[in-house]
Amino acid sequence: MSQKGYIVAEVKVHDAEAFDRYRALSTAAVEQYGGRFIVRGGAAEILEGPWSAPQRLIVVEFDTVEQAKRFYYSDEYQKARKVRENAGEMNMLVATGVDSLV
């Protein structure tokens, strides 16, 4: 059984209008590649450690890490990234989920 893949991103928005255009394009790409938003900009509360609370936190689940990477490197998402270029700052990573215990 393949492990889930998760795209995790922290975002600082500088241009809300341009970021809205990015969000529309990136959401379409996430859906096209089978992703599901788990966290999308809700409140984040620091419980421990020297974190800096992100302005926006995003977590997207994919069936596999490979599928998450297909989304990221897709023409559709790269087009969205181009739109986001001056709209804000983003740190993004892909993480492997744990095996199901069932």
Side-chain angles (χ1 to χ4, degrees):
M1 179 181 221
S2 295
Q3 295 173 305
K4 301 278 187 182
Y6 295 87
I7 297 280
V8 180
E10 62 173 336
V11 184
K12 291 180 185 166
V13 177
H14 302 304
D15 179 340
E17 186 177 309
F19 196 82
D20 284 345
R21 290 192 304 275
Y22 160 78
R23 184 180 3 224
L25 292 169
S26 65
T27 297
V30 163
E31 291 171 356
Q32 180 176 342
Y33 286 86
R36 294 163 298 287
F37 287 93
I38 305 298
V39 176
R40 192 171 193 186
E45 180 181 343
I46 298 169
L47 298 177
E48 189 173 329
W51 286 81
S52 295
Q55 187 182 54
R56 294 183 56 85
L57 181 67
I58 300 166
V59 179
V60 184
E61 179 184 69
F62 290 87
D63 289 339
T64 64
V65 170
E66 293 75 21
Q67 191 65 11
K69 289 180 182 179
R70 276 196 276 290
F71 150 76
Y72 180 80
Y73 292 110
S74 71
D75 290 341
E76 295 83 5
Y77 185 67
Q78 293 306 307
K79 179 179 176 183
R81 283 186 70 215
K82 207 68 160 145
V83 168
R84 188 196 76 218
E85 238 169 42
N86 296 311
E89 301 169 46
M90 183 174 292
N91 291 322
M92 185 182 294
L93 57 85
V94 63
T96 303
V98 297
D99 285 327
S100 174
L101 300 176
V102 192

